[in-house]
Amino acid sequence: MSGTSAALTPPADAVRPVRHPEAPAPGELLGAHYEHCFGCGGAQPHGLHLQARAGEGVSVTAEFTVQAAHQGAPGLAHGGVLTTALDETLGSLNWLLRVIAVTGRLETDFVRPVPVGAVLHLDAEITAVHGRKIYSRATGRTGGPDGPVAVRAEALFIEVKVDHFIDNGRPDEIRAAMADPDQVRRARAFEVNP
């Protein structure tokens, strides 16, 4: 990205990210981290229903189809929706490290319009880790995984403890997520986004 802010530039002593040994295998569908998530949850009728797959190393790929409910200008995806798709894809990366992290900063470049009906093909990777800070970038393409770039982003995620969600979320949703008997689903419910 041109003009990346200093906040998104890893410091000189940042380290290369290391995929957790228990991370999903390359090609494995990650599934929704939380059923009510606007980005990936199936319980959101107008959500993105974004589907992410683990890639090699610390990367993921994802897709979502732009629906009429996602438009801003007539027939074109709303920029905020495209930013949400990038944020969701970037947030999915943290599952490969097996950490809970929230978006600290996200910068998006809009390169070309994305029409309703288009499938946005997203690729994301973690570029560096420095303490609790996780640096990453993503690209969204139309017309196929090798199509023209439509959007791209760089992000900084901050590793947090589950208390971040308990202290700040709505109690009913927190209790419901914490009561899920599936340990993986319970952990993933608190995986991304502030």
Side-chain angles (χ1 to χ4, degrees), residues 80-155:
V81 169
L82 297 176
T83 300
T84 300
L86 289 160
D87 185 45
E88 187 68 33
T89 303
L90 289 158
S92 296
L93 289 165
N94 299 312
W95 191 239
L96 302 178
L97 300 180
R98 297 298 289 264
V99 300
I100 300 170
V102 296
T103 310
R105 185 175 187 99
L106 176 65
E107 290 185 12
T108 305
D109 286 334
F110 301 96
V111 180
R112 65 179 56 231
V114 178
V116 170
V119 176
L120 191 65
H121 300 267
L122 297 130
D123 288 294
E125 67 176 338
I126 298 174
T127 58
V129 176
H130 186 258
R132 294 176 42 227
K133 295 180 177 181
I134 302 164
Y135 298 85
S136 54
R137 64 180 170 224
T139 303
R141 299 172 181 271
T142 57
D146 297 320
V149 172
V151 292
R152 58 181 170 244
E154 290 193 28

Side-chain angles (χ1 to χ4, degrees), residues 1 4 6-7 15 27-28 32 46 50 58 61 65 69 78 106 109-110 136 139 174 183-184 188:
M1 283 176 64
T4 299
V15 297
E28 187 176 330
H46 297 296
L50 187 133
V58 285
T61 60
T65 302
H78 189 286
L106 176 65
D109 286 334
F110 301 96
S136 54
T139 303
I174 298 297
Q183 274 188 325
V184 172
R188 290 207 58 214

